[in-house]
């Protein structure tokens, strides 16, 4: 476990160095390319966040209403019959 921690401490800087080195050799403006990618990523996040908030709110309402427990009560015996889950006694 300790060796894995030391390896990860070394791999990340080497990976960053390799990316910058490849950009230097390929005559690519690494920083500008990074900024463009970050800007595109933020646009994607802005597009996804409203959907994510809506889904999280819907799941929260379903959990609070007890819908998942009711669903588990309906499908639990069938799932136990085919060996997917073990029902408590």
């Amino acid at each position: 476990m300790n060796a894995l921690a030391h390896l990860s401490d070394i791999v990340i800087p080497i990976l960053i160095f390799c990316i910058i080195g490849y950009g230097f050799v390929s005559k690519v403006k690494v920083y500008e390319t990074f900024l463009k990618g970050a800007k595109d990523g933020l646009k994607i996040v802005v597009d996804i966040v409203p959907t994510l908030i809506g889904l999280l709110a819907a799941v929260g309402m379903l959990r609070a209403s007890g819908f998942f427990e009711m669903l588990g009560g309906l499908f639990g015996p069938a799932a136990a019959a085919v060996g997917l889950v073990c029902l408590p006694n």
Side-chain angles (χ1 to χ4, degrees):
M1 181 71 174
N2 195 13
L4 189 59
H6 290 300
L7 181 66
S8 67
D9 289 341
I10 295 170
V11 168
I12 302 287
I14 289 175
L15 182 65
I16 292 172
F17 178 75
C18 288
I19 291 171
I20 292 172
Y22 178 77
F24 181 74
V25 170
S26 301
K27 306 280 192 238
V28 174
K29 296 180 179 178
V30 177
Y31 186 69
E32 287 82 7
T33 306
F34 170 76
L35 289 180
K36 183 178 180 289
K39 186 187 286 187
D40 292 343
L42 283 175
K43 287 179 185 176
I44 291 171
V45 167
V46 168
D47 290 340
I48 292 175
V49 165
T51 304
L52 183 61
I53 290 172
L55 287 171
L56 289 173
V59 169
M61 288 189 297
L62 287 172
R63 288 182 69 190
S65 71
F67 177 74
F68 290 133
E69 287 79 16
M70 189 252 333
L71 203 61
L74 287 175
F75 292 117
V82 294
L84 291 176
V85 294
C86 296
L87 291 178
N89 294 331

